[in-house]
Amino acid sequence: MTGLREHLHGLWLPLVTPFQGGRLDETSLRRLTRHYCAQGIDGFILGATSGEGMTLRDAELERLVAIVRDEMAAGRRSLPLCLGLSGADTSRLKERLDETADWPIEGYLIASPYYVRPSQRGLLAHFEALADHAAWPIALYNIPYRCAVNITNQTMLRLAEHPNIVGLKDCGASREQSIALLRDRPKNFRVLTGEDANYLEALTDGADGGIVLSAHVETATFAAILGEMKRGNHDAAQARWHEVADLTRLLFTEPSPAPAKYWLWRSGLIDSPEVRLPMVEVSSELAAAIDREIERRMQVAA
């Protein structure tokens, strides 16, 4: 497996972490890995937002990585793994980088420090310290509506000069900022959208791909959209996008990943829709709406 920079493009799946009875559901995790390795994805994000990483104990996170890697080896398809890490303490994050340095991964996805709202100088110093320390390359995760701080393009372009910072998951919620970054970024700095509802829009603007929770459900369609865009078939990509645009809203009607987990449970890919507090399972109203959409898509497919 070569470096993360070479692999950070295309359709990446931020894999949900299945639980049952309060524990990591290893059987469902193996089933998920086998299923998605047979689909058109280009890599996995493990233990990040969609994977409820902030509720995972260190041993669970390590087991999660080991099982996914083991299942890929058994299926003879090796996809790059990027480990989600987050925190507001630079020193503690450096310790976590040390603790995971020998894990079978290709890199890290690291969000901005939450709650403390550092300045841009603080963000620059934080990420540079992590990048200097990390054994694996880092993709930044800019998501100001969760972290209460935005990495400006000026700061981002400084960070993009670091040899161990290879790209960005862009959830900046500003198309203007994203377009400017795509225009000004270094040639080898990858940008993937993390906003499902803006997937086609971001590809149109020049993003290198997406990290898309909704691709748990319509994997082939999201892959096809990317393929049509690469071939310059914008009308065909738009037509395929109409098949999933509503899905990207439905799966975020309530806090993610509960809706996606409910869908995967109803589809038989995981054995329980269980999430960990403070997440709660979907409401009865949303469950009914998802059931109706599953039935509708089954009828269309038939």
Side-chain angles (χ1 to χ4, degrees), residues 70-260:
D70 179 66
E71 201 61 39
M72 286 196 297
R76 298 185 179 179
R77 187 186 182 200
S78 185
L79 293 173
L81 301 182
C82 200
L83 182 66
L85 293 181
S86 61
D89 180 345
T90 308
S91 294
R92 174 58 187 136
L93 272 176
K94 288 170 70 175
E95 291 174 358
R96 296 199 73 194
L97 292 174
D98 288 338
E99 292 160 2
T100 57
D102 61 351
W103 290 14
I105 58 176
E106 274 66 52
Y108 300 101
L109 178 67
I110 303 183
S112 299
Y114 48 80
Y115 185 76
V116 296
R117 301 179 66 188
S119 67
Q120 294 300 307
R121 288 193 303 114
L123 287 171
L124 185 66
H126 171 77
F127 283 117
E128 286 182 336
L130 297 179
D132 287 344
H133 197 77
W136 301 104
I138 291 172
L140 306 174
Y141 186 4
N142 190 28
I143 184 163
Y145 56 82
R146 287 186 183 270
C147 296
V149 63
N150 176 44
I151 309 173
T152 66
N153 280 359
Q154 182 178 8
T155 302
M156 193 75 69
L157 292 171
R158 286 278 303 277
L159 291 169
E161 296 172 0
H162 196 291
N164 211 30
I165 295 177
V166 300
L168 167 70
K169 178 181 179 181
D170 184 8
C171 292
S174 167
R175 189 177 187 186
E176 181 181 6
Q177 179 177 333
S178 298
I179 290 173
L181 178 64
L182 289 166
R183 180 192 65 221
D184 298 335
R185 61 177 168 158
K187 180 179 174 182
N188 60 352
F189 185 76
R190 307 293 188 180
V191 177
L192 282 73
T193 184
E195 293 292 328
D196 291 26
N198 298 339
Y199 179 61
L200 179 61
E201 178 183 276
L203 294 177
T204 301
D205 293 338
D208 298 297
I211 300 171
V212 183
L213 170 89
S214 305
H216 278 89
V217 174
E218 290 284 355
T219 317
T221 304
F222 283 99
I225 292 166
L226 181 66
E228 296 292 1
M229 289 296 294
K230 286 181 177 178
R231 290 186 289 272
N233 300 330
H234 291 193
D235 289 345
Q238 183 73 54
R240 299 305 305 268
W241 175 245
H242 285 313
E243 300 173 21
V244 294
D246 288 344
L247 179 68
T248 66
R249 292 184 284 272
L250 180 65
L251 292 179
F252 289 89
T253 303
E254 293 179 8
S256 179

Side-chain angles (χ1 to χ4, degrees), residues 266-286:
R266 294 288 286 128
S267 303
L269 277 171
I270 58 178
D271 293 335
S272 168
E274 185 177 320
V275 290
R276 284 183 171 172
L277 286 171
M279 287 289 177
V280 292
E281 294 180 18
V282 297
S283 65
S284 58
E285 293 82 6
L286 181 55

